[in-house]
């Protein structure tokens, strides 16, 4: 069997993140190396397999591969020479040995002693040895951790010390466990903003610092660290212990919902947990989250738990909490029995009993606690009516106060009526009917429409028997409108009857205008703008100026529905003017609608829209739906006007107000707009978080927009998931026959992959993009993606494939249009330059020199100085190699 297959598999594995897929490739490479009889190659593959097991979430398997490679090295150091790598891996083996209670502690100490011996023999600092003696001491809790910590801090760092991020992380963890949070911050601070290249950083130090930030009153930094670190941990089975720390963070900061989301995402990992210790930590933290969810009033919820057979079941929250707490406690007991201390059990018990560190730490600007349930209203004082015993006077007082919108006064009058009627006087039939009508109003105010309708139906019947047609038709109008609100369209007949009666017999106090306005409103609800306008034409506003604002507002709505935009704007302006003269508070509704209309004009938001929205936000009280709507509109207007930075603040406030008020559906799509605003202001992390919050609740169309925003955010963050999202968007576009979009998204996916040095996969995506560009008739896209595919093949070690792919790119140059000579020269020169690089890589230097020379000529023709100089340097290097 050829060893070429081994090298190819190892090259492919390097492009994959640590995990099952990468491990399988390395295991296959090892089998092939052993089958080929190449012991040295098998040794080096086995060293890499140890890393794959460790970082891929299978540390127990690393014990065997490490022991074998160490034994091979000891047997023949000259032949199996990877001394530094083995000494480096020894550190991870030490810490991993502590994670399995079935492994005797003496074995861990023996490896530590062997590690110290080897480090001394090699002339290395013992700094790393002291570090890992501290790790073991902290795990056992035997009281020696401080001693080893001091030696660790005092010893000189060398090439075997943990990286500049991991070393302070370990020190911080020691200090945190000792309750020395400010010292932990001082140790970690210098590297928190550093550029770290370690596989475990910066997410490990960010996670370690969560309790430090909380206990040193740095809540914003805690939230940021949680968001950034968890995004990395969430894809890595090996990081289950770190994920446990994020669960505990959510539980003690009032973010139970976020904790529940994390728990739901990872609960299945317990069936393939990296270690017993990770299992214990995750189970304890998850039980704490479930305890906090129960305390928040959601104890009846269930968790969807996947089973080892792939089937999922809904498990009651309290049942799962008890199971996980027992699981964590039992595992801790096993560790303590092995260690001879109570330390692990103490830690689990502390986690299970952890109290909130902060009432609520918002994880994003738009996160707010739900609004507390309104307390029961205080009894309405009745002192001003205590001396009134006349039932008609009390009913009249209540009616007047209702017209004046004095709801507490209205209720007080009715309470006084009930008190008098129950003791001093028997109500007449008319008074009883009026009180029944009033009870309907009370139920309506309380939100019980069905009971309101029931009262009004009976009151209308009684008014009819008494011959009081005015009150009967007032009540019928209310009853009909309520029936429509309850989904009974038959109520329309009662609203019409009320309006017709008062139009013929106006009654008093604007009865006719009120009835007609109610009928117009109903027509608008049924999407009948023409009927609504006809009804509004029947109102004589000069007779009822108090109704002018509402009448013009309804007219504006009807005209908008009838696509008469200019007339609608004029009507809304009349409504605003009338409201400002009569009741300025009423101006908010027409101002909001006019602002929305002006903001959504085809040519972009009109500046008047912003002034109107400023006015609405200035007068409407915080926490009201109208204020949330105004912030929504202003945020969307800023976004449409290409002021995303200004849009963010309003969208944040709108989402927060909608959510705090329990109106989650209004906030869903706004989160997509917020994500777009964040992305446009280079705040990729916030964009990704907002998009991920919105995505599960979106339909297909808005979901595609959200996934596109998320993909671009993840691309900026350097996350591999961006490539998967772009690939999915390409598949969606293909189903809709949108070949240009297919090509674009495949090209984006390839850009992400090559940016992550996953060049073999990038080459595949570029090749697919080239085919899509051919379908769309885009010759430039074909040339560029074929050229990029060739370069990715070269970078992935597929030199022969790169040569062939670049030849297809050169052939594609013939398809460039002849009417754009500069573009043709540029693409040809760039292709020649890249082809020269590939040919030089495979040793075809004469051909490479010819292509490099052609590139110099092409760039020079276009006066492209920098590319020409780079091509010249390449040509000189090739000629030097030829000489």
């Amino acid at each position: 069997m050829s060893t070429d297959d081994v090298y190819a598999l190892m090259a492919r594995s390097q492009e994959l993140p640590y995990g099952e897929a990468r491990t399988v490739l390395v295991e296959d490479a090892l089998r092939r190396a052993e089958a080929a009889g190449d012991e040295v190659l098998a040794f080096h593959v086995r060293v890499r397999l140890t890393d794959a097991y460790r970082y891929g979430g299978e540390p127990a398997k690393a014990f065997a591969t490490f022991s074998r490679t160490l034994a091979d090295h000891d047997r023949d150091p000259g032949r199996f020479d990877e001394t530094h790598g083995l000494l480096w891996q020894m550190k991870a083996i030490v810490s991993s040995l502590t994670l399995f209670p079935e492994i005797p502690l003496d074995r861990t100490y023996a490896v530590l002693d062997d590690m110290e011996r080897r480090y001394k023999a090699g002339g290395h600092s013992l700094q790393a040895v002291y570090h890992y003696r501290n790790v073991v001491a902290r795990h056992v809790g035997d009281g020696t951790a401080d001693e080893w910590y001091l030696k660790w801090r005092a010893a000189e760092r060398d090439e075997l010390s943990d990286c500049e991020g991991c070393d302070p992380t370990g020190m911080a963890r020691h200090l945190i466990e000792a309750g020395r949070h400010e010292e932990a911050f001082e140790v970690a601070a210098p590297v928190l903003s550093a550029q770290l290249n370690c596989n475990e950083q910066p997410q490990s130090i960010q996670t370690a610092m969560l309790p430090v930030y909380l206990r040193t009153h740095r809540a914003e930094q805690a939230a940021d660290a949680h968001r950034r670190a968890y995004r990395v941990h969430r894809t890595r089975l090996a990081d289950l212990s770190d994920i446990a720390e994020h669960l505990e963070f959510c539980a003690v900061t009032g973010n139970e919902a976020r904790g529940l989301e994390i728990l739901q995402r990872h609960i299945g990992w317990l069936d393939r947990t990296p270690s017993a210790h990770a299992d214990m930590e995750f189970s304890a933290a998850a039980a704490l989250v479930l305890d906090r969810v129960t305390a928040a009033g959601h104890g009846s919820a269930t968790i969807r738990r996947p089973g080892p057979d792939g089937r999922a079941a809904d498990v009651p929250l309290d049942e799962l909490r008890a199971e996980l707490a027992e699981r964590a406690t039992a595992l801790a007991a096993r560790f303590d029995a092995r260690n001879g201390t109570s330390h692990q059990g103490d830690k689990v018990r502390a986690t299970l009993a952890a109290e909130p560190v902060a009432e609520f730490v918002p994880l994003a600007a738009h996160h707010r606690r739900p609004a507390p349930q309104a307390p029961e209203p205080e009894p309405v004082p009745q002192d001003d009516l205590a001396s009134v015993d006349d039932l008609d006077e009390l009913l009249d007082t209540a009616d007047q106060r209702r017209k004046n919108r004095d709801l507490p006064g209205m209720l007080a009058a009715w309470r006084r009526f009930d008190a008098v009627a129950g003791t001093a006087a028997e109500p007449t039939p008319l008074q009883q009917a009026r009180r029944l009508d009033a009870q309907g109003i009370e139920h309506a105010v309380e939100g019980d429409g069905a009971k309101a309708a029931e009262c009004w139906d009976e009151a209308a019947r009684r008014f009819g028997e008494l011959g009081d047609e005015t009150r009967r038709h007032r009540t019928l109008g209310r009853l009909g409108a309520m029936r429509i609100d309850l989904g009974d369209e038959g109520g329309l007949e009662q609203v019409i009857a009320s309006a017709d009666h008062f139009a013929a017999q106006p009654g008093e106090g604007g009865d006719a205008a009120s009835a007609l306005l109610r009928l117009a409103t109903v027509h608008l609800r049924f999407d009948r703008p023409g009927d609504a306008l006809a009804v509004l034409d029947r109102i004589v506003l000069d007779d009822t100026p108090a109704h002018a604002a509402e009448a013009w507002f309804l007219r504006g709505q009807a005209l908008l529905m009838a696509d008469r935009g200019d007339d609608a704007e004029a009507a809304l302006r009349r409504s605003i003017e009338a409201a400002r003269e009569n009741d300025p508070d009423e101006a908010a509704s027409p101002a909001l609608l006019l602002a929305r209309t002006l903001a959504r004009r085809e040519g972009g938001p009109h500046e008047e829209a912003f002034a109107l929205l400023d006015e609405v936000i200035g007068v409407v009280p915080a926490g009201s739906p109208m204020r949330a709507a105004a912030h929504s509109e202003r945020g969307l207007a800023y976004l449409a006007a290409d002021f995303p930075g200004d849009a963010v603040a309003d969208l944040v406030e709108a989402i927060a107000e909608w959510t705090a008020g329990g109106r989650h559906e209004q906030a869903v799509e706004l989160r997509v707009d917020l994500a777009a605003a964040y992305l446009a202001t280079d705040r990729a992390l916030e964009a990704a978080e907002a998009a991920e919050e919105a995505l599960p609740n979106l339909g297909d169309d808005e979901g595609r927009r959200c996934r596109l925003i998320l993909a671009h955010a993840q691309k900026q963050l350097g996350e591999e998931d961006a490539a998967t999202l772009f690939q999915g968007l390409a598949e969606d576009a293909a189903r809709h026959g949108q070949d240009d979009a297919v090509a674009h998204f495949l090209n984006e996916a390839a850009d992400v992959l090559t940016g992550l040095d996953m060049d073999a996969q990038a080459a595949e995506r570029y090749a697919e993009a080239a085919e899509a560009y051919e379908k769309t008739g885009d010759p430039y896209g074909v040339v560029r993606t074929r050229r990029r595919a060739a370069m990715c093949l070269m970078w992935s070690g597929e030199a022969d494939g790169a040569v062939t792919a670049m030849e297809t790119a050169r052939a594609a140059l013939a398809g460039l249009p002849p009417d754009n000579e500069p573009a043709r020269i540029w693409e040809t020169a760039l292709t020649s330059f890249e082809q020269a690089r590939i040919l030089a890589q495979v040793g075809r230097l004469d051909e490479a020199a010819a292509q490099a020379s052609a590139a110099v000529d092409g760039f020079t023709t276009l006066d492209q100085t920098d590319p020409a100089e780079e091509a010249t340097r390449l040509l000189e290097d090739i000629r030097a190699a030829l000489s």
Side-chain angles (χ1 to χ4, degrees):
M1 183 173 290
S2 171
T3 58
D4 289 345
D5 293 339
V6 177
Y7 289 111
L9 285 168
M10 292 303 293
R12 284 173 55 195
S13 75
Q14 294 297 310
E15 291 201 352
L16 297 176
Y18 283 108
E20 183 178 2
R22 178 167 178 158
T23 299
V24 166
L25 288 179
V26 181
E27 288 175 333
D28 190 13
L30 178 58
R31 284 191 292 270
R32 291 171 186 262
E34 291 175 334
D38 191 330
E39 291 186 348
V40 174
L41 180 58
F43 167 80
H44 289 294
V45 172
R46 199 172 283 113
V47 171
R48 300 285 77 78
L49 185 55
T50 297
D51 290 336
Y53 283 144
R54 178 194 170 201
Y55 292 120
E58 299 178 285
K61 292 183 178 180
F63 298 146
T65 55
F66 175 76
S67 297
R68 171 68 183 275
T69 52
L70 189 64
D72 288 343
H73 171 76
D74 288 345
R75 177 167 51 87
D76 191 344
R79 189 169 180 227
F80 303 107
D81 182 19
E82 199 162 333
T83 306
H84 180 275
L86 292 171
L87 292 178
W88 185 274
Q89 287 180 341
M90 214 166 191
K91 299 182 296 181
I93 294 299
V94 168
S95 61
S96 294
L97 287 169
T98 66
L99 306 180
F100 300 90
E102 64 272 21
I103 298 177
L105 203 56
D106 288 347
R107 183 175 172 188
T108 303
Y109 288 131
V111 174
L112 267 171
D113 292 341
D114 186 36
M115 177 179 169
E116 182 168 345
R117 179 186 62 79
R118 291 174 186 271
Y119 276 46
K120 284 180 178 178
H124 302 292
S125 169
L126 295 184
Q127 196 256 13
V129 176
Y130 298 146
H131 176 176
Y132 283 86
R133 287 197 183 279
N134 170 271
V135 168
V136 175
R138 284 193 288 113
H139 169 81
V140 174
D142 63 3
T144 63
D146 279 337
E147 174 188 344
W148 294 118
Y149 174 76
L150 293 174
K151 290 184 176 182
W152 172 18
R153 288 295 304 268
E156 184 178 356
R157 285 177 53 82
D158 68 359
E159 69 276 6
L160 287 175
S161 298
D162 276 7
C163 79
E164 293 181 357
C166 290
D167 218 35
T169 299
M171 293 177 183
R173 288 193 178 280
H174 170 87
L175 294 167
I176 292 164
E177 289 185 19
R180 296 154 63 181
H181 297 104
E182 284 293 353
E183 291 179 66
F185 182 81
E186 292 172 8
V187 165
V191 297
L192 287 172
S193 59
Q195 292 294 320
L196 303 172
N197 299 319
C198 172
N199 180 68
E200 299 179 51
Q201 298 298 345
Q203 67 274 12
S204 288
I205 197 165
Q206 290 168 340
T207 298
M209 293 299 289
L210 290 174
V212 174
Y213 290 138
L214 289 178
R215 287 165 176 80
T216 58
H217 310 293
R218 296 177 170 97
E220 288 188 12
Q221 288 172 268
D224 186 65
H226 162 70
R227 290 158 54 215
R228 292 181 184 279
Y230 175 68
R231 291 190 68 81
V232 181
H233 291 313
R234 68 182 182 177
T235 63
R236 301 182 177 187
L237 176 63
D239 293 356
L240 189 61
S241 289
D242 299 276
I243 291 169
E245 294 185 65
H246 288 271
L247 281 173
E248 184 170 354
F249 168 81
C250 291
V252 300
T253 57
N255 286 288
E256 298 87 5
R258 168 80 162 181
L260 197 60
E261 172 194 327
I262 294 173
L263 169 59
Q264 181 70 77
R265 180 180 290 135
H266 300 289
I267 186 68
W269 285 10
L270 286 180
D271 295 322
R272 52 193 181 104
T273 181
S275 67
H277 198 267
D279 187 335
M280 177 189 75
E281 292 190 311
F282 182 88
S283 295
L288 174 64
V289 166
L290 295 175
D291 192 53
R292 301 308 306 159
V293 171
T294 299
H298 305 289
S300 61
T302 59
I303 299 292
R304 190 75 170 165
R305 184 176 187 180
D309 59 356
R311 298 179 180 178
D314 291 324
V315 182
L317 187 148
D318 57 345
E319 178 182 317
L320 181 60
R321 188 203 64 77
E323 176 194 332
L324 292 173
E326 181 180 350
R327 180 174 182 141
T329 302
L331 284 168
R334 291 180 60 199
F335 279 108
D336 287 345
R338 191 268 309 269
N339 297 339
T341 67
S342 64
H343 188 60
Q344 294 300 316
D346 293 341
K347 290 179 68 176
V348 165
R349 285 185 285 275
T351 297
L352 293 174
E355 294 292 332
V357 176
E359 182 179 354
F360 180 58
V361 174
L363 302 180
H366 58 278
H367 287 184
R368 304 275 175 84
R369 278 290 202 184
Q373 187 171 3
E376 289 294 322
E378 294 290 331
V380 179
Q382 302 183 28
D383 293 346
D384 61 328
L385 298 173
S387 61
V388 179
D389 293 327
D390 187 295
L391 296 182
D392 283 327
E393 182 181 348
L394 288 168
L395 289 171
D396 291 342
T397 298
D399 286 345
Q400 187 58 49
R401 290 179 176 181
R402 177 175 59 81
K403 292 176 183 178
N404 294 337
R405 301 180 185 177
D406 177 11
L407 295 186
M410 173 189 74
L411 293 172
W414 285 334
R415 296 289 85 78
R416 177 60 183 167
F417 176 95
D418 294 339
V420 173
T423 57
E426 177 70 24
T428 66
L430 178 58
Q431 290 169 342
Q432 291 176 2
R434 291 180 67 185
R435 183 64 185 101
L436 190 60
D437 183 31
Q439 287 175 349
I441 295 173
E442 287 187 78
H443 288 309
V445 170
E446 294 168 355
D448 192 339
K451 285 187 177 179
E454 185 178 322
C455 290
W456 286 332
D457 188 39
E458 177 61 18
R461 185 188 67 78
R462 293 189 185 186
F463 285 137
E465 290 177 351
L466 295 168
D468 191 335
E469 289 301 308
T470 297
R471 288 194 172 94
R472 173 173 173 264
H473 282 92
R474 285 176 187 160
T475 305
L476 282 178
R478 285 194 285 269
L479 172 61
M482 181 58 74
R483 287 177 61 191
I484 292 169
D485 285 344
L486 295 172
D488 180 1
E489 295 185 10
L492 176 60
E493 294 180 6
Q494 292 169 322
V495 178
I496 292 174
S498 174
D500 288 346
H501 171 83
F502 286 114
Q505 304 175 47
E508 59 183 37
D511 280 333
S514 296
L516 290 168
L517 289 171
R518 181 181 288 120
L519 178 57
T521 302
V522 168
H523 283 313
L524 290 177
R525 286 198 56 177
F526 289 135
D527 197 18
R528 300 170 181 167
D531 292 338
L533 290 169
V535 171
L536 291 169
D537 287 341
R538 297 163 62 187
I539 300 175
V540 181
L541 292 180
D542 290 342
D543 296 339
T544 55
H547 293 94
E550 183 180 359
W552 284 111
F553 180 43
L554 293 175
R555 184 176 293 276
Q557 294 179 61
L559 291 168
L560 283 174
M561 293 173 68
D563 292 324
R564 294 168 57 184
D566 291 342
D567 292 337
E569 291 176 14
L572 291 172
R573 287 192 173 89
R574 292 286 298 272
S575 176
I576 295 169
E577 291 170 4
R580 287 171 177 164
E581 291 176 2
N582 188 58
D583 185 352
D585 289 343
E586 288 190 1
S589 293
L592 178 59
L593 182 56
L594 179 58
R596 179 183 292 129
T597 304
L598 295 172
R600 300 185 183 187
R601 282 183 171 179
E602 188 173 340
H606 191 283
E607 61 182 19
E608 184 186 356
F610 296 102
L612 288 166
L613 290 167
D614 291 346
E615 177 184 347
V616 174
I617 291 170
V619 300
V620 175
S624 70
M626 187 175 294
R627 186 183 177 94
H631 278 298
S632 301
E633 291 299 330
R634 193 165 69 177
L636 293 172
Y638 276 130
L639 195 59
D642 200 23
F643 293 112
D646 295 316
V648 165
D650 275 304
L651 293 173
V652 161
E653 192 62 30
I655 293 168
E657 291 201 9
W658 287 126
T659 305
R663 299 175 178 87
H664 299 281
E665 64 279 1
Q666 283 90 343
V668 170
E669 292 190 9
L670 281 181
R671 285 190 173 90
V672 183
D673 297 304
L674 177 60
Y678 278 138
L679 187 64
T681 51
D682 296 323
R683 296 168 66 178
L685 175 63
E686 289 93 336
E689 294 277 328
E692 287 174 344
E693 284 182 5
L695 194 54
N697 303 302
L698 296 172
D700 290 343
D701 291 340
E702 196 63 16
R704 274 190 290 273
R705 178 184 174 225
C706 187
R707 282 187 290 140
L708 178 58
I709 293 169
L710 178 57
H712 280 292
Q714 291 181 330
K715 180 180 180 181
Q716 288 188 26
L717 292 169
E719 296 180 357
E720 183 189 348
D721 286 346
T724 304
L725 279 171
F726 280 125
Q727 178 78 23
L729 289 165
E731 292 168 0
D732 282 350
R735 284 191 288 271
H736 291 86
Q738 300 167 336
D739 291 330
D740 54 343
V742 172
H744 172 75
F745 290 137
L746 288 172
N747 190 62
E748 288 281 4
D751 287 348
V752 171
L753 292 168
T754 193
L756 296 172
D757 293 329
M758 303 171 70
D759 293 305
Q761 296 178 62
E764 294 176 7
R765 297 291 89 75
Y766 280 130
E768 293 169 359
E771 293 177 4
Y773 278 124
E774 285 181 343
K775 290 182 180 180
T776 65
D778 182 350
Y780 294 103
V782 174
V783 170
R784 291 166 185 162
T785 48
R786 291 204 182 282
R787 185 170 61 233
R788 291 170 184 165
M791 295 305 297
C792 286
L793 286 171
M794 182 186 78
W795 293 324
S796 66
E798 296 285 339
D800 292 338
V803 170
T804 301
M806 190 59 79
E807 288 172 354
T808 65
R810 178 162 292 280
L813 289 169
L816 296 180
D819 58 351
N820 191 341
E821 187 66 6
R824 187 190 64 78
I825 294 173
W826 169 261
E827 296 294 342
T828 302
L830 196 53
T831 301
S832 296
F833 177 75
E834 304 289 26
Q835 191 166 21
R837 294 173 65 189
I838 292 173
L839 292 170
Q841 182 79 15
V842 298
R844 293 163 59 175
L845 297 179
D846 288 330
E847 296 171 76
Q851 293 299 337
S853 179
V856 172
D857 293 341
F859 291 138
T860 302
T861 299
L862 295 174
D863 292 327
Q864 294 292 320
T865 304
D866 290 344
E869 290 177 352
E870 188 175 356
T872 300
R873 286 192 293 271
L874 175 62
L875 178 59
E876 290 171 351
D877 290 342
I878 295 170
R879 286 174 175 171
L882 282 168
S883 61

